């Protein structure tokens, strides 16, 4: 059993401890003895730095013999310098003095060490310690702390990661387009949206950047970027272990081990994560619990330091998900404009079938097709940082893979309408980024780089959609008795072979010109080249063998042969200009105008038909063209408080959207361009550290996202079967975007006390998340709105100074029933399904580190 393996993960032993003459290691704590994670440790005068891990441990090496000075800086603490005259005094115990006038978070998004408050970019930073404390072990949980992020996942492939409502197509994924939100782990770009559903492994910090970032990152990002940094190998021994147990059979185990392999030269780190949970939905036909969690992941790193100017990191990772999921529950039935005999309730009545429940929150299904979501990702990367002059030259080379093995019941019932729906795929990518970041003069700094990516995505070996014995009744579009011809559609389906090969290249750069000490001007530019080659071939098979032209015509109304090829390439210039002005010591203002674009899209899910012929003009769609404006201010109005505000406006021409069609043969919808979309809004973020025992964070976002012009959109579900198949939805809301979203959280702790014979603290933490209603359909439908909801998570326990902590927790404390997403069933017969939010869960967590 996989879950039994989780208990083997922490059984690791390290046998050597670093004692090289120029390595300084130790632990960083506050005045109460609590560890301070993510502290920056800088060798003054060298530019060389290290980041303390989640338990305050650090290790930094210098080729320069003592004396030299280490500078320690962390959020909420005064900068602290320590002169090192003898490295044999290591390990050090550093106590940082608290400063309630500072709340600084160190980031690397602009490819250099700086504080978030000084960066003219709207950015949310979540530290690894906060990720662990709040149980935000994947992006779907992290979004509860960053309200500008939207993530929707009906399965790993069909995952949408958006920022401010922009980035990827909502609800359904088409492999032929690029995501608009960059997802990076240690500088490596992850091209497939399925990566966002995996468990985080040994995360140091997550930076969420909002707005286009194409002049800073290798891959073009039209809506923002996730920049995830993992904990690095250290030259002092460290081991951490965490185990959690909860209701519904929840088990999660994590462990990480780091230490030296060769004195002063080579250090290693290996980390594991495993999560298991029983299903939350009951299949009354089989008695099984569906929608389990079954995740395993591992990450290994080697750090080689041949000199104080060169760091080389070799990393490898592998993650697997093998759940019985993601099953969806019928949430409602809509009366469409089709004839009475074509309505869902009449169809199932004629077939003698009843849904197991009409209440989605009974969490009951009777699906007769296996739900499976085999999701495997992994890869290797080599990162070289070489200090040259007043900057650093960085090379990041990576190769990654994705294997996808699904099975779905796309009719969401116990009837054999669609008996098979399996889009097995394999994807490989390679990336290469080379950039230089540093100071070019006393008033000019910046970053310049080149980036290349190659991708190969193909079916493995084919994508299959196959009908069952009830398909005839759901597809029946006339009163002809021929529809009920025995065996006409049984086993009738399509097998699709497709291959998408892409190449992208870019040159990018951004300067920071200090006109005065208060006024900075930051121009940036990017040149992109993109090429896509597609070979798509879909063939029908099975069903009743017949030469009757009338029966053949009926079969072709359900599935038909399609094939096309495409070979497109393009290049594009984009850029940005930011002006930042430090109005006062504690006030930093900025204004940005930028342009960006998303490459041409190609349809890989089947094309809609007209007069029985595929609409080949939809085989490819136009690139997106983005214009973005933003103004903001980052402030520290009083001691311990940061308060940041931003106002933004984005216009997108030829917005790439994925739309649903009534045709069963158009798997997961098809791509289309909306002529124009606009998004505007305002955001407020606050962090307040009142004292050693109380701190909180809060964020609120207002977002208004609409189609300015979409004149040829498919009709919403309730208008299916009307006089027109398309509709002008100009002025309608973009899907997946709540006008209001917010988060609030904090932690309260006691002063140090004697607890079970050790010094430590009692603590209580809470996190709340709210969002208003949002459309869950690309063409707004009065039936497909998700009501607003709020959820509350709490935790309470003890945290000892010897590295041990123990606490209980509950997520969705008040057991709120809510939908995460609503989806129309294939064929638009009137039923729609839901991805359900988890009900109340609770458990305990034990964590230990040294």
């Amino acid at each position: 059993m996989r879950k039994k393996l989780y208990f083997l993960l922490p059984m690791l032993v390290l046998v050597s401890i670093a004692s090289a003459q120029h390595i300084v290691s130790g632990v960083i704590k506050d005045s109460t003895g609590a560890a301070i994670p993510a502290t920056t440790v800088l060798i003054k005068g060298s530019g060389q730095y290290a980041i303390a891990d989640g338990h305050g441990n650090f290790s930094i090496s210098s080729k320069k013999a003592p004396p030299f000075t280490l500078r320690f800086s962390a959020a909420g603490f005064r900068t602290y310098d320590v002169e090192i005259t003898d490295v044999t005094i290591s390990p050090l115990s550093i106590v940082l003095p608290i400063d309630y006038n500072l709340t600084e978070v160190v980031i690397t998004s602009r490819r250099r060490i700086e504080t978030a408050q000084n960066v003219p970019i709207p950015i949310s930073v979540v530290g690894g310690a906060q990720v662990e404390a709040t149980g935000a072990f994947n992006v779907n949980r992290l979004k509860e702390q960053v309200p500008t992020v939207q993530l929707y996942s009906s399965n790993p492939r069909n995952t949408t990661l958006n920022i401010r409502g922009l980035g990827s197509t909502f609800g359904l994924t088409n492999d032929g387009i690029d995501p608009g939100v960059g997802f990076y782990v240690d500088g490596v770009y992850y091209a497939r949206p399925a990566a966002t559903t995996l468990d985080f492994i040994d995360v140091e910090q997550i930076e969420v950047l909002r707005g286009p970032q194409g002049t800073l990152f290798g891959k073009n990002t039209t809506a923002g970027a996730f920049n995830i940094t993992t904990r690095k190998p250290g030259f002092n021994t460290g081991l951490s272990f965490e185990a959690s147990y909860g209701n519904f059979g929840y088990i999660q185990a994590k462990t990480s081990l780091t230490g030296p392999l060769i004195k002063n030269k080579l250090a290693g780190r290996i980390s594991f994560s495993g999560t298991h949970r029983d299903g939350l939905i009951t299949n009354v036909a089989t008695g099984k619990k569906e929608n389990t969690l079954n995740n395993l992941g591992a990450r290994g790193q080697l750090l080689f330091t041949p000199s104080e100017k060169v760091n080389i990191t070799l990393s490898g990772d592998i993650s697997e998900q093998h759940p019985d999921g993601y099953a969806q529950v019928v949430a409602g039935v809509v009366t469409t404009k089709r004839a009475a005999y074509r309505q869902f309730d009449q169809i199932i009545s004629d077939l003698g079938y009843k849904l197991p429940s009409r209440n989605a929150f009974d969490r009951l299904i009777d699906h007769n097709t296996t739900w499976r979501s085999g999701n495997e990702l992994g890869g290797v990367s080599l990162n070289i940082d070489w200090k040259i002059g007043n900057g650093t030259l960085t090379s990041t080379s990576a190769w990654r893979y994705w294997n996808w093995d699904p099975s779905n019941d796309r009719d969401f019932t116990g009837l054999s309408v669609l008996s098979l729906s399996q889009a097995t795929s394999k994807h490989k990518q390679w990336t290469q980024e080379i950039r230089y970041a540093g100071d070019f003069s006393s008033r000019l700094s910046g970053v310049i780089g080149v980036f290349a990516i190659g991708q190969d995505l193909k079916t493995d070996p084919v994508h299959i959609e196959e009908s069952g014995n009830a398909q005839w009744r759901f597809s029946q579009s006339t009163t002809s008795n021929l529809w009920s011809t025995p065996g006409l559609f049984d086993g009738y389906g399509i097998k699709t072979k497709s291959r998408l090969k892409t190449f992208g290249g870019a040159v990018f750069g951004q300067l920071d010109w200090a006109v005065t000490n208060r006024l900075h001007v930051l121009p940036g530019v990017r040149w992109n080249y993109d090429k896509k080659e597609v070979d798509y071939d879909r063939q029908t098979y099975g069903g009743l063998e017949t030469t009757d032209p009338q029966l053949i015509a009926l079969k072709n109304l359900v599935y038909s042969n399609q094939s096309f090829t495409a070979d497109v390439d393009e290049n594009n210039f984009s850029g940005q200009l930011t002006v930042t002005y430090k109005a006062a010591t504690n006030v930093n203002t900025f204004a940005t105008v930028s342009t960006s674009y998303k490459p041409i899209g190609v349809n890989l899910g089947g094309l809609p038909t007209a007069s029985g012929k595929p609409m080949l003009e939809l085989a490819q769609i136009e690139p997106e063209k983005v214009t973005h404006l933003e103004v903001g201010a980052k402030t520290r109005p009083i001691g311990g408080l940061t308060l940041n505000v931003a106002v933004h406006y984005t216009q997108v021409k030829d917005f790439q959207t994925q739309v649903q069609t009534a045709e069963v043969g158009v798997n997961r919808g098809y791509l289309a361009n909306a002529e124009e979309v606009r998004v505007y809004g305002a955001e407020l973020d606050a962090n307040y550290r009142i004292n050693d025992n109380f701190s909180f964070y809060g964020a609120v976002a207002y977002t208004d996202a609409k189609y300015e012009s979409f004149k040829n959109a498919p009709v919403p579900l309730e208008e299916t079967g009307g006089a027109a198949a398309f509709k002008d939805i100009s002025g309608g809301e973009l899907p997946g975007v709540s006008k209001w979203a917010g988060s609030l959280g904090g932690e309260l702790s006691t002063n140090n006390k004697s607890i079970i014979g050790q010094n430590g603290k009692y603590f209580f933490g809470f996190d709340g998340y709210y969002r208003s209603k949002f459309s869950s359909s690309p063409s707004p439908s009065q039936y497909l709105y998700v009501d607003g909801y709020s959820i509350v998570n709490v935790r309470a326990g003890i945290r000892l100074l010897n590295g041990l902590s123990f606490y209980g927790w509950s997520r969705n404390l008040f057991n709120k029933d809510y939908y995460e997403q609503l989806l129309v069933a294939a064929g638009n017969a009137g039923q729609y399904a839901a991805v359900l939010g988890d009900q109340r869960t609770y458990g305990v967590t034990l964590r230990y580190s040294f």
Side-chain angles (χ1 to χ4, degrees):
M1 294 290 292
R2 287 178 178 270
K3 65 181 181 180
K4 292 182 180 178
L5 294 176
Y6 302 158
F7 298 103
L8 300 178
L9 300 181
M11 301 301 135
L12 303 171
V13 178
L14 196 65
V15 296
S16 61
I17 299 176
S19 58
Q21 60 176 347
H22 300 323
I23 295 177
V24 181
S25 62
V27 62
I28 307 164
K29 301 180 180 180
D30 63 21
S31 59
T32 70
I36 306 175
T39 300
T40 302
V41 185
L42 176 71
I43 300 176
K44 290 185 65 175
S46 72
Q48 186 177 356
Y49 68 93
I51 304 293
D53 66 17
H55 311 288
N57 297 312
F58 75 92
S59 176
I60 190 165
S61 62
S62 173
K63 293 296 183 183
K64 178 183 177 182
F68 53 84
T69 299
L70 296 183
R71 170 163 287 182
F72 299 85
S73 58
F77 298 87
R78 288 198 295 272
T79 299
Y80 188 64
D81 288 351
V82 175
E83 184 176 7
I84 305 299
T85 58
D86 184 356
V87 296
T88 62
I89 64 174
S90 182
L92 301 176
S93 181
I94 304 297
V95 178
L96 294 190
I98 194 166
D99 188 336
Y100 301 117
N101 293 314
L102 292 175
T103 306
E104 296 291 354
V105 177
V106 175
I107 64 170
T108 60
S109 294
R110 292 205 304 170
R111 310 311 188 183
R112 53 186 182 264
I113 295 296
E114 53 193 349
T115 61
Q117 287 299 99
N118 289 331
V119 174
I121 299 171
I123 183 171
S124 299
V125 183
V126 182
Q130 185 176 346
V131 169
E132 293 169 347
T134 59
F137 62 83
N138 58 27
V139 176
N140 197 38
R141 291 193 172 185
L142 184 74
K143 73 181 182 185
E144 298 170 6
Q145 300 178 42
V146 187
T148 51
V149 172
Q150 299 92 31
L151 184 133
Y152 306 96
S153 184
S154 56
N155 64 40
R157 182 196 201 114
N158 285 326
T159 296
T160 299
L161 176 61
N162 284 352
I163 295 177
R164 296 169 172 171
L166 300 175
S168 300
T169 56
F170 174 80
L172 300 168
T173 297
N174 194 299
D175 294 323
I177 62 170
D178 291 36
V181 175
F183 191 81
Y184 295 85
V185 178
D186 290 339
V188 177
Y189 174 71
Y190 287 29
R192 304 313 309 167
T196 62
T197 68
L198 298 173
D199 291 1
F200 297 140
I201 303 176
D202 209 14
V203 166
E204 179 65 57
Q205 185 165 279
I206 300 173
E207 302 164 15
V208 182
L209 290 80
R210 308 192 284 273
Q213 305 298 329
T215 61
L216 289 174
F217 288 84
K219 187 70 174 70
N220 203 32
T221 56
T222 58
F226 269 69
N227 187 35
I228 299 175
T229 305
T230 67
R231 292 169 179 141
K232 296 298 183 285
F235 285 97
N236 59 313
T237 304
L239 172 66
S240 64
F241 166 69
E242 176 185 314
S244 299
Y245 304 87
N247 60 335
F248 301 109
Y250 177 79
I251 302 174
Q252 185 176 75
K254 301 178 181 179
T255 191
S256 184
L257 178 67
T258 188
L261 301 175
I262 300 176
K263 291 181 180 181
N264 203 29
K265 291 293 184 182
L266 185 66
R269 189 178 193 96
I270 187 166
S271 307
F272 299 92
S273 175
T275 305
H276 170 85
R277 189 189 65 192
D278 297 336
L280 303 181
I281 293 174
T282 301
N283 189 323
V284 298
T286 64
K288 286 185 63 177
K289 293 288 188 178
E290 300 288 353
N291 292 6
T292 62
L293 293 180
N294 197 342
N295 306 339
L296 279 175
R299 183 175 188 84
Q301 300 178 76
L302 292 174
L303 172 63
F304 179 48
T305 57
S307 74
E308 65 176 359
K309 292 188 175 183
V310 179
N311 285 344
I312 302 173
T313 304
L314 176 65
S315 301
D317 67 276
I318 182 170
S319 294
E320 294 186 3
Q321 292 178 320
H322 293 283
D324 294 330
Y326 295 42
Q328 289 109 48
V329 178
V330 172
V333 177
V334 172
T335 300
T336 69
K337 291 188 175 182
R338 287 172 168 170
Y341 75 92
R342 300 192 66 193
Q343 303 297 327
F344 177 78
D345 284 335
Q346 184 61 57
I347 293 170
I348 65 172
S349 176
D350 291 347
L351 294 172
Y353 171 77
K354 289 185 179 181
L355 290 168
S357 175
R358 294 272 177 162
N359 179 1
F361 296 106
D362 287 341
R363 301 177 187 267
L364 300 177
I365 61 174
D366 62 348
H367 302 170
N368 60 334
T369 298
T370 299
W371 284 94
R372 183 178 67 250
S373 298
N375 187 34
E376 300 176 351
L377 293 98
V380 294
S381 65
L382 181 67
N383 189 87
I384 303 173
D385 289 321
W386 184 10
K387 183 173 173 56
I388 300 176
N390 293 321
T392 301
L393 180 67
T394 298
S395 170
T396 304
S397 310
W399 174 88
R400 299 199 60 78
Y401 71 89
W402 173 54
N403 297 330
W404 174 237
D405 180 22
S407 175
N408 309 286
D409 195 324
R410 291 179 61 217
D411 56 74
F412 309 126
T413 72
L415 294 167
S416 293
V417 186
L418 290 168
S419 57
L420 290 178
S421 180
Q422 300 173 348
T424 50
S425 301
K426 285 189 174 181
H427 172 266
K428 292 180 176 62
Q429 70 169 78
W430 62 265
T431 55
Q432 176 64 58
E433 181 172 344
I434 300 174
R435 66 177 183 274
Y436 181 82
D439 298 327
F440 305 127
S441 70
S442 61
R443 291 197 171 272
L444 190 65
S445 62
V447 58
I448 185 170
V450 295
F451 175 78
I453 180 171
Q455 300 183 67
D456 187 0
L457 174 66
K458 57 186 178 182
T459 55
D460 181 34
V462 294
H463 290 180
I464 298 175
E465 294 284 323
E466 186 176 298
S467 299
N469 57 21
Q471 179 66 265
W472 72 272
R473 189 62 186 85
F474 278 80
S475 294
Q476 184 179 4
S477 56
T478 70
T479 56
S480 168
N481 291 330
L482 292 176
W483 285 97
S484 59
T485 302
L488 181 61
F489 297 104
D490 287 6
Y492 179 58
I494 48 175
K495 292 182 178 180
T496 302
K497 288 185 177 181
S498 68
R499 188 169 190 176
L500 170 65
K501 298 176 72 175
T502 69
F503 172 79
V507 179
F508 61 94
Q510 181 174 295
L511 296 176
D512 186 336
W513 174 33
V515 181
T516 70
N517 290 337
R518 291 179 177 269
L519 177 66
H520 286 233
V521 177
L522 296 89
V525 68
R526 179 184 185 89
W527 176 79
N528 275 294
Y529 172 79
D530 292 280
K531 180 178 178 63
K532 295 185 177 182
E533 299 177 57
V534 178
D535 189 352
Y536 182 89
D537 182 42
R538 189 180 88 181
Q539 300 296 322
T540 59
Y541 71 93
L544 181 67
E545 293 188 12
T546 178
T547 57
D548 187 329
Q550 295 183 77
L551 295 179
I552 292 173
L554 294 183
K555 292 175 69 175
N556 286 336
L557 288 175
V558 178
Y559 293 124
S560 60
N561 298 333
Q562 292 186 6
S563 63
F564 65 87
T565 59
D567 187 348
V568 296
D569 67 328
E570 58 183 332
N571 60 79
N572 177 277
F573 277 98
S574 57
Q576 65 99 40
L577 178 65
T578 297
V579 177
T580 178
Y581 182 70
K582 200 171 187 64
T585 303
N586 293 331
V587 179
N588 191 23
T589 63
F590 63 91
T592 296
V593 57
S594 60
T595 61
S596 188
Y597 97 116
K598 189 189 295 185
I600 282 177
V602 290
N603 263 304
L604 289 179
L607 300 174
T609 60
S611 302
K613 302 292 184 181
M615 300 174 68
L616 294 177
E617 65 273 18
L618 292 175
Q620 64 187 58
I621 60 171
E622 294 298 315
E624 283 185 0
K625 307 168 190 70
V626 179
T627 301
H628 177 76
L629 306 172
E630 183 141 12
V631 295
K634 297 187 174 186
T635 73
R636 297 190 205 98
I638 60 174
L641 173 65
T642 62
L643 188 65
N644 301 332
V645 63
V647 178
H648 59 91
Y649 176 89
T650 304
Q651 179 190 64
V652 185
K653 298 284 190 181
D654 293 321
F655 178 73
Q656 295 176 349
T657 183
Q658 177 91 331
V659 291
Q660 187 78 25
T661 175
E663 296 185 41
V664 177
V666 182
N667 187 12
R668 301 184 305 278
Y670 68 95
L671 291 172
N673 286 118
E675 294 85 9
E676 184 177 336
V677 157
R678 67 108 179 100
V679 178
Y680 66 79
E683 298 156 2
L684 182 69
D685 298 89
N687 283 274
Y688 191 18
R689 183 178 180 126
I690 297 173
N691 54 42
D692 287 350
N693 299 324
F694 183 50
S695 62
F696 78 87
Y697 71 89
V700 63
Y702 173 80
T703 310
D704 190 293
K706 291 186 177 179
Y707 298 105
E708 285 286 278
S709 177
F710 194 1
K711 298 179 180 178
N712 203 33
V715 296
L717 176 60
E718 64 270 26
E719 296 181 31
T720 300
F726 298 93
K727 180 181 182 179
D728 185 347
I729 61 170
S730 302
E733 297 180 32
L734 256 64
V737 188
S738 296
K739 283 197 172 179
W740 290 99
S743 59
L744 179 67
E747 186 170 293
L748 175 67
S749 64
T750 65
N751 291 321
N752 278 344
K753 296 178 179 294
S754 178
I755 305 173
I756 58 175
Q758 297 286 334
N759 284 332
K761 292 184 174 187
Y762 294 100
F763 70 91
F764 170 80
F766 69 95
D767 302 280
Y769 173 63
Y770 166 78
R771 64 179 307 180
S772 61
K773 74 172 186 177
F774 62 91
S775 169
S776 192
S777 172
S779 293
S781 164
Q782 60 179 311
Y783 297 98
L784 297 175
Y785 271 85
V786 172
D787 291 334
Y789 62 88
S790 59
I791 57 176
V792 176
N793 311 319
V794 296
R795 60 193 181 277
I798 59 174
R799 189 179 291 126
L800 305 181
L801 300 188
N802 65 1
L804 177 69
S805 62
F806 178 80
Y807 59 94
W809 48 265
S810 178
R811 296 184 56 81
N812 192 5
L813 178 66
F814 300 111
N815 204 28
K816 173 69 176 177
D817 286 334
Y818 65 98
Y819 298 132
E820 290 200 342
Q821 186 181 350
L822 298 173
L823 307 111
V824 177
N828 291 25
Q831 83 275 34
Y832 61 92
V835 177
L836 302 180
D838 292 350
Q839 58 265 62
R840 177 170 52 231
T841 57
Y842 52 85
V844 295
T845 294
L846 174 70
R847 183 180 296 125
Y848 180 70
S849 64
F850 71 86

